[in-house]
Amino acid sequence: MSRRPFIAVLLANTISIAGSSLTLIGVPWFVLQTTGSAGRAGIVAFCATLPVVVAALVGGPVIDRIGRRRVSAVSDLICALSVGAIPLLHYAGLLEFWMLCALMAVGGLVHTPGLTARYVLLPHLAEHAGTTVARAASLYDAVSRGARMIGAVLAGVLVGTIGAESVLLLDAATFGASALLVTAFLRGVPAAEPQRDAAKVSLTGYRTELAEGWRFLTRERLLLGITVMVMMTNGIDQGWSSVLLPVHGSEVLGGPTALGLMIALFGGFALLGALLYGAWGERFPRRAVFAAAFLLCGAPRYVVAAFTDTPLPLAVTMALSGLGAGVLNPILTTVMMEKVPDALRSRVAGVTTAGCELAMPLGGLAAGLLVDGFGVTQALLVFGGIYFLATLSPLVFPSWRTMEAAPAAPLLSRTEPARPSAEPAAR
């Protein structure tokens, strides 16, 4: 057994996600500074997230044939080029708004397959490291959230000092470092290499593999419920992170530094929540913990932001919301990884990810249009109300009771679903 591949993936995620947090703050701030339009910020968010859904939908079978290590490295390299081109074109005086949208779309298209390729290796990495999937999932999520917290703090400080353009160059460098780590330390891990027993590439076989995941998802009520719920909350959160919070930060919080600190508080307490669940979470019923955590991390921050004009109340709410958010992905990862055979994990992860991210493009676009039409307060209340209704699902629908124990493998399909993320992929 060796912990080096697992540690390398954790470090690659740390560097890459910290860099993506720079973009998460830097790009909306760059658009607001250069255009002054929340609607345009929403359009950029739409262009960045629509390709994410497409990539997740069609990328699963490709990952296994090309190899998880190669997909992860190539994804990071293309992201580095697309993000780095934005400030370089801006410095040269050549950047048009359509170019910004196109470059963000390219990054969104290739980023999700790279994340999926690393994620589906988690059971193998846990086995190599001599730990359980539940604990590895908690550590994996904790590291991701810690990186997001660090990146948010750096973004808030750096955007206010050296400018959003330079911050994007730093993000491009982090993608390159992540690609080097994965290339070097996952070499020789069998599950990271191309799957030689995969069927010969054909359009018919490709459609069949994609259809298997969707058929199973529509038959399994719990997994369908999870996917629909997370689809709704991911869309709302995309509007929050790409438009609502940046506009609120510009109008009320005082600038990018305060905005970065808010995101860092959320990420820091999410890290704590993930670690706490990893240590003691398996002792408690999954459904009850999941429902309580989702109610805590969702609507309260929208409502508090709508009714407060000082940073402190929102800072406290972001900390509590982060604590709840940290519990979510370890639970979903554990539930889904118990059910998905390794041979199908990449393609099924792609199908469920596409479902969960289906509303993300509309979330950023709708938030921008609402802010321009009715103001940020009304937009926050609308989004918060929808979020609250979505998070009632585990308490209302009986199918969620089956979350407590993994069901027996179905007889009608050999495909079982992978973990949908309860949080939008870091941009």
Side-chain angles (χ1 to χ4, degrees):
M1 290 187 296
S2 174
R3 297 182 179 180
R4 290 176 60 188
F6 185 41
I7 293 173
V9 167
L10 293 180
L11 187 56
N13 269 14
T14 300
I15 296 172
S16 176
I17 292 174
S20 295
S21 293
L22 302 179
T23 300
L24 182 68
I25 295 177
V27 169
W29 206 265
F30 176 75
V31 176
L32 290 173
Q33 280 185 327
T34 55
T35 69
S37 170
R40 286 206 164 192
I43 293 172
V44 172
F46 175 84
C47 294
T49 50
L50 181 61
V52 172
V53 180
V54 177
L57 176 62
V58 303
V62 175
I63 292 173
D64 287 337
R65 289 188 170 90
I66 298 177
R68 295 158 181 174
R69 178 175 62 88
R70 294 176 185 173
V71 169
S72 176
V74 171
S75 167
D76 281 340
L77 289 176
I78 296 176
C79 285
L81 293 174
S82 64
V83 171
I86 295 172
L88 294 178
L89 289 171
H90 178 71
Y91 291 144
L94 301 175
L95 184 65
E96 302 287 344
F97 182 70
W98 70 266
M99 296 179 185
L100 174 62
C101 293
L103 289 169
M104 292 299 292
V106 170
L109 182 66
V110 300
H111 190 49
T112 294
L115 290 175
T116 302
R118 291 196 291 270
Y119 168 74
V120 296
L121 283 171
L122 192 57
H124 298 280
L125 299 176
E127 184 180 356
H128 276 282
T131 187
T132 65
V133 173
R135 291 184 177 178
S138 296
L139 184 58
Y140 186 91
D141 193 61
V143 166
S144 298
R145 293 183 183 280
R148 201 164 289 124
M149 174 189 66
I150 295 170
V153 173
L154 288 175
V157 174
L158 294 177
V159 168
T161 55
I162 65 176
E165 305 92 334
S166 300
V167 166
L168 296 181
L169 283 176
L170 182 58
D171 184 22
T174 63
F175 277 118
S178 174
L180 287 175
L181 282 168
V182 169
T183 301
F185 289 98
L186 290 189
R187 189 181 300 276
V189 177
E193 301 303 326
Q195 304 302 299
R196 302 300 180 187
D197 57 347
K200 187 177 179 180
V201 177
S202 69
L203 183 60
T204 301
Y206 193 83
R207 286 200 306 262
T208 300
E209 291 174 357
L210 290 176
E212 282 181 337
W214 285 112
R215 281 199 303 268
F216 181 84
L217 191 62
T218 57
R219 291 170 181 165
E220 174 53 59
R221 292 185 178 182
L222 170 63
L223 298 171
L224 182 61
I226 290 174
T227 302
V228 172
M229 176 183 175
V230 177
M231 177 187 71
M232 296 292 296
T233 58
N234 275 354
I236 298 168
D237 275 331
Q238 178 64 20
W240 165 265
S241 61
S242 64
V243 178
L244 297 179
L245 188 57
V247 171
H248 184 67
S250 176
E251 295 181 357
V252 176
L253 300 181
T257 301
L259 175 63
L261 290 174
M262 292 294 170
I263 298 176
L265 272 174
F266 185 90
F269 276 83
L271 166 63
L272 178 61
L275 292 175
L276 290 175
Y277 185 81
W280 296 291
E282 294 179 271
R283 304 177 184 179
F284 302 98
R286 290 174 181 170
R287 175 170 168 255
V289 174
F290 183 83
F294 230 137
L295 286 169
L296 180 63
C297 82
R301 53 197 156 104
Y302 292 82
V303 176
V304 171
F307 288 112
T308 185
D309 56 0
T310 56
L312 183 59
L314 182 59
V316 174
T317 306
M318 290 289 282
L320 294 175
S321 296
L323 192 65
V327 174
L328 300 177
N329 283 346
I331 292 177
L332 291 177
T333 297
T334 303
V335 170
M336 301 305 177
M337 285 298 182
E338 288 173 349
K339 306 181 184 213
V340 182
D342 178 61
L344 302 173
R345 197 167 286 141
S346 296
R347 68 192 69 166
V348 178
V351 169
T352 54
T353 299
C356 290
E357 296 179 345
L358 192 61
M360 286 175 61
L362 298 178
L365 185 61
L369 295 176
L370 280 174
V371 171
D372 277 351
F374 302 98
V376 66
T377 299
Q378 287 76 10
L380 284 166
L381 291 175
V382 170
F383 271 49
I386 298 173
Y387 207 122
F388 175 73
L389 293 176
T391 51
L392 292 178
S393 298
L395 304 176
V396 174
F397 297 104
S399 60
W400 286 83
R401 296 171 188 167
T402 61
M403 178 180 260
E404 302 303 333
L411 299 178
L412 296 179
S413 172
R414 60 188 182 89
T415 303
E416 298 175 270
R419 183 268 310 180
S421 175
E423 170 178 24
R427 298 274 70 77

